[in-house]
Every structure is written in C-alpha cells, then in structure tokens.
Amino acid sequence: MSPEYDSTILSTQVKLNHMLSADEWLQGRIRAVHVTGRTKSVYSTWKKMQRHDCSIERVHDLVALRVVLSPEGVNRPARPPPRDDDDRTDGRAARGLSGDDAEERALCYHVLGKARGSAPPPPKDPRCTEHAPALS
C-alpha cells in the first residue's frame, strides 16, 4: 500500500506497545506483549471487493493491528499465529473457552478496550468486527 499507511501503522504499533507496557493492571499478568501491523494486499483487497460487490471505500480493514499477549503462568503449547490476511468475522476463535481461560479472556478484553479507547470508533458496518480473544 502507501508509505503513509506504513508510517501510521508503525507509529500506532509503538504507541499501543508503550501504552500496554505501562498499564498497571497488566503488570504481573503478562510476560510479554507483541503488537504487529499489516496492510491488506492489493489482491486480497480486490478479492474482498469482488466477494462483497463493493467499492474500496467499503473495505474497512485495509490496515490492521494484532496484539499477542503472553500471560504469566500459562504453560500451553504454542499455536501458530493466525494469518495476516485472515478475514474471519464469525468469532470462531473466541468459542470453546473453559473457566480456566477467564483471566486470559479478561486480559484480551482489557487490551481491546485500551486499543479502542485510543482510536476513533470503527464505522458501523456488520462486516467490521474485532477479534478477541484468540488464545494461544
């Protein structure tokens, strides 16, 4: 995409990473936080426009951030991270959590609230969703 998207993603990654690292509630609950960003590829954008029969103005995920948390005291085998071009919007990743995952879910929604509080609200569109939590 454009260099302005790249600079916006980079500055937002740094800002969010700093905000989460300094968050008192997260201290002692997570070992690490990793913020990544991406721009949707031209091909993926075109495919989405074809699939939804819409113009580029209706594609709301041209840029995206992903926050991966490593909670304290969790000894699970690591799952591979989801692909950057993953367009799932049905919440499949958030299903099937046990009671043991309540703290991890709280971590995910706390981070989501921090991220949403530092950015303008997303457009009201049924395809515009946030994926939380996807526990690894």
Side-chain angles (χ1 to χ4, degrees):
M1 292 276 166
S2 77
E4 60 196 52
Y5 278 143
D6 292 335
S7 66
T8 300
I9 288 172
L10 182 59
S11 67
T12 306
Q13 279 179 253
V14 169
K15 179 182 174 185
L16 187 57
N17 199 22
H18 177 71
M19 180 191 319
L20 295 174
S21 296
D23 186 281
E24 289 183 24
W25 189 81
L26 291 175
Q27 300 301 315
R29 288 184 167 91
I30 61 170
R31 285 189 313 266
V33 60
H34 185 68
V35 181
T36 59
R38 63 107 174 123
T39 57
K40 187 178 263 323
S41 72
V42 173
Y43 178 73
S44 182
T45 302
W46 177 79
K47 289 290 286 180
K48 191 168 206 173
M49 291 167 56
Q50 296 297 307
R51 190 171 54 246
H52 295 288
D53 191 28
C54 67
S55 67
I56 197 164
E57 290 81 19
R58 303 260 337 224
V59 179
H60 298 295
D61 65 339
L62 293 174
V63 294
L65 292 175
R66 172 174 290 132
V67 179
V68 178
L69 304 173
S70 298
E72 287 289 348
V74 176
N75 294 318
R76 288 191 182 154
R79 287 188 221 161
R83 297 184 341 252
D84 281 339
D85 62 347
D86 195 351
D87 284 334
R88 289 181 297 168
T89 59
D90 64 359
R92 286 178 282 182
R95 292 190 196 137
L97 300 177
S98 70
D100 296 337
D101 293 323
E103 176 75 9
E104 291 180 36
R105 181 179 281 207
L107 288 170
C108 291
Y109 280 104
H110 178 78
V111 169
L112 178 61
K114 289 290 204 180
R116 291 187 76 200
S118 67
K124 296 295 181 203
D125 187 303
R127 293 177 295 128
C128 184
T129 63
E130 287 127 1
H131 303 284
L135 306 175
S136 59

